[in-house]
Amino acid sequence: MRAFRTLALLPLLLLSLLGPGLAWADRLHQVEIIVFRQAGEPIPAAQPVPDDWAQGALPVDATQERATALNGEAAKLNPGNGYQVLLHKAWTQSLGSAPSTAAVSTGNEQFGHFPVEGTLRLTQARFVDVEADLWVNQFDGSGLVTGSERIKQSSRLKTGELTYLDHGSLGLLIRVSPL
C-alpha cells in the first residue's frame, strides 16, 4: 500500500521538478482592447499599410467574440474630452509560452483593408507580453487607402490589469484576463 502511494505521488513530484514552465500551459483568456484617437493632428505612418497587414494571424471570429467590459472607460473617451473611440472589441484567445497572434479589424472592408486593422501578438509566461501593430486607415472615394496612422508598441502586462499604450495621435487600452 505504501509503495502504491509513493508511485501515485511520483508524477506530481516530477512535474514540480520540471519548473514553473508547465504552470503556464496554454490557457483561455479574455482580451479586450480600445483603440482611440487623441486630440491633435493625426501623425501619419512613415509607410503605407501593407497589403499583408494580418501577416498570417487568425482573425477574431464571431465564436470568439465576447461582451465588452470596459464600457465605462470607453464612454470617457468621448469627443467632449478630446478623444474618439475607433475600435472596442473583446474576444477569447488561448495564451501560452508560444506566441498567439490575432488579427482584429472593424468597419467595412475595401480592397482588403478596414478603417482599423492590425494584429496583437500575445505570449504568456509569468506576465503577458503584447506586441500591438494597429493601423487606422483613410480611404478615398474609390475605396483605396490614401493614408494611415500606426500604433506599434510592445509591453509587459499583468493579467487582469488595464494597460495604456501611447502613440502621438493614437492610444490603446488593453486588458487580458484569465477565464
Side-chain angles (χ1 to χ4, degrees), residues 104-118:
V104 294
S105 61
T106 190
N108 295 325
E109 180 181 1
Q110 298 184 52
F111 299 110
H113 291 285
F114 297 87
V116 181
E117 60 192 10

Side-chain angles (χ1 to χ4, degrees), residues 86-107:
L86 304 171
L87 178 142
H88 184 188
K89 189 174 271 200
W91 67 92
T92 57
Q93 187 171 340
S94 183
L95 302 182
S97 58
S100 172
T101 307
V104 294
S105 61
T106 190

Side-chain angles (χ1 to χ4, degrees), residues 34-40 72-87 164-173:
I34 302 172
V35 178
F36 58 95
R37 176 171 282 121
Q38 304 181 80
E73 288 81 355
K76 293 176 187 173
L77 298 169
N78 62 53
N81 291 331
Y83 302 101
Q84 177 189 6
V85 173
L86 304 171
L87 178 142
Y164 170 62
L165 302 177
D166 185 26
H167 178 273
S169 61
L170 300 173
L172 171 70
L173 291 173

Side-chain angles (χ1 to χ4, degrees), residues 60-85:
V60 174
D61 65 27
T63 63
Q64 295 170 292
E65 288 189 19
R66 294 277 197 232
T68 56
L70 298 174
N71 299 325
E73 288 81 355
K76 293 176 187 173
L77 298 169
N78 62 53
N81 291 331
Y83 302 101
Q84 177 189 6
V85 173

Side-chain angles (χ1 to χ4, degrees):
M1 185 66 149
R2 185 178 188 133
F4 179 72
R5 233 181 319 174
T6 304
L7 283 175
L9 293 175
L10 186 60
L12 291 174
L13 177 64
L14 288 173
L15 283 175
S16 68
L17 291 174
L18 290 175
L22 287 179
W24 305 112
D26 286 7
R27 290 184 46 195
L28 203 56
H29 287 71
Q30 177 163 319
V31 179
E32 185 168 357
I33 63 170
I34 302 172
V35 178
F36 58 95
R37 176 171 282 121
Q38 304 181 80
E41 287 296 313
I43 299 173
Q47 60 191 32
V49 61
D51 287 335
D52 66 340
W53 61 269
Q55 302 169 7
L58 296 175
V60 174
D61 65 27
T63 63
Q64 295 170 292
E65 288 189 19
R66 294 277 197 232
T68 56
L70 298 174
N71 299 325
E73 288 81 355
K76 293 176 187 173
L77 298 169
N78 62 53
N81 291 331
Y83 302 101
Q84 177 189 6
V85 173
L86 304 171
L87 178 142
H88 184 188
K89 189 174 271 200
W91 67 92
T92 57
Q93 187 171 340
S94 183
L95 302 182
S97 58
S100 172
T101 307
V104 294
S105 61
T106 190
N108 295 325
E109 180 181 1
Q110 298 184 52
F111 299 110
H113 291 285
F114 297 87
V116 181
E117 60 192 10
T119 59
L120 277 126
R121 181 180 167 142
L122 299 163
T123 308
Q124 183 180 24
R126 185 168 180 215
F127 296 97
V128 175
D129 291 319
V130 62
E131 295 176 26
D133 190 6
L134 300 161
W135 299 84
V136 177
N137 300 314
Q138 293 81 40
F139 299 91
D140 66 12
S142 63
L144 297 174
V145 174
T146 59
S148 300
E149 297 169 81
R150 183 182 191 187
I151 180 169
K152 184 173 182 168
Q153 297 281 338
S154 298
S155 185
R156 178 156 284 165
L157 316 173
K158 288 185 180 179
T159 56
E161 286 189 12
L162 185 61
T163 303
Y164 170 62
L165 302 177
D166 185 26
H167 178 273
S169 61
L170 300 173
L172 171 70
L173 291 173
I174 181 169
R175 184 168 65 189
V176 179
S177 304
L179 292 176

